[in-house]
Amino acid sequence: METLLPIAACAGALLKARGETIAVAESSAGGLVSAALLAVPGASAYFLGGTVVYTRVAREALLAIPPERLDGVPPSTEAYAAMMAEGMRQRLGTVWALGETGATGPAGNRYGFPAGHACLAVAGPVSRTLTVETGHGDRVVNMREFGARLLGLLVEALEAAP
C-alpha cells in the first residue's frame, strides 16, 4: 500500500477540490485501488463505492453488463476495462469511474494473456485506457503495480479535465 497511498492521496485531493465522485470496478487488483482511495481522510466526500468483479456472474449482477454487450469485446482488453468503468459509472451515477482487468499470476489467464498483463480504464469527463505488461508472474507485485498504474492514470485524467 505504501506505493498506492501517495497516488490515492493526490487523486483524492483532486476529486475533493473538484467536488466530484468516483466508483471503482476492479478485477486483478482485488480491491487495492478502492482500499487506497478509502485510506485518504475525507474519502466519503468523493468515493461512492467499489466492487471486485472476478467472474461473469459478478459482472452481470454488479455492473449490469449482459453477455450480448460483450460481443467482440474480449476480457482482459482495454475495451473491456472501459466497459467495466462505464458500467460502474452508470450504476452508481458518479462523475468518474475506474475499470481494471488482467492476469496477476503466477500463470496467465484463460483468455490467453500472460501473467503481468492488465488493462486499465478511466471513464469520466476525460477518459483514458492503458495496457500494462510487467513481464513477470509475481502475483502480489503485479496487483500493486496494476493498482498504482490505475491510480496514476486517474490522476492524469483529473489533471487533464476541464
Side-chain angles (χ1 to χ4, degrees), residues 52-71:
V52 176
V53 179
Y54 213 65
T55 64
R56 178 178 303 180
V57 171
R59 180 191 67 231
E60 291 174 19
L62 300 171
L63 299 180
I65 300 173
E68 57 273 11
R69 282 206 37 224
L70 294 173
D71 287 344

Side-chain angles (χ1 to χ4, degrees), residues 89-161:
R89 183 176 180 219
Q90 290 176 11
R91 198 83 168 144
L92 294 186
T94 58
V95 175
W96 299 91
L98 306 177
E100 176 274 325
T101 181
T104 52
N109 64 21
R110 63 183 170 163
Y111 309 109
F113 294 98
H117 168 89
C119 290
L120 316 173
V122 175
V126 172
S127 295
R128 297 261 199 273
T129 59
L130 176 69
T131 298
V132 174
E133 302 286 352
T134 66
H136 61 80
D138 186 319
R139 188 174 185 82
V140 173
V141 172
N142 282 333
M143 290 174 76
R144 290 180 189 143
E145 179 71 17
F146 298 169
R149 297 291 293 273
L150 182 54
L151 287 166
L153 194 64
L154 171 61
V155 169
E156 288 177 20
L158 285 163
E159 289 175 340

Side-chain angles (χ1 to χ4, degrees), residues 1-80:
M1 288 295 279
E2 299 82 27
T3 306
L4 283 84
L5 291 176
I7 310 166
C10 180
L14 289 166
L15 287 163
K16 283 193 273 188
R18 296 172 64 89
E20 295 174 341
T21 55
I22 192 164
V24 180
E26 300 174 69
S27 179
S28 301
L32 289 177
V33 173
S34 294
L37 287 168
L38 286 168
V40 177
S44 60
Y46 59 84
F47 189 89
L48 294 193
T51 187
V52 176
V53 179
Y54 213 65
T55 64
R56 178 178 303 180
V57 171
R59 180 191 67 231
E60 291 174 19
L62 300 171
L63 299 180
I65 300 173
E68 57 273 11
R69 282 206 37 224
L70 294 173
D71 287 344
V73 181
S76 299
T77 62
E78 288 183 15
Y80 183 79

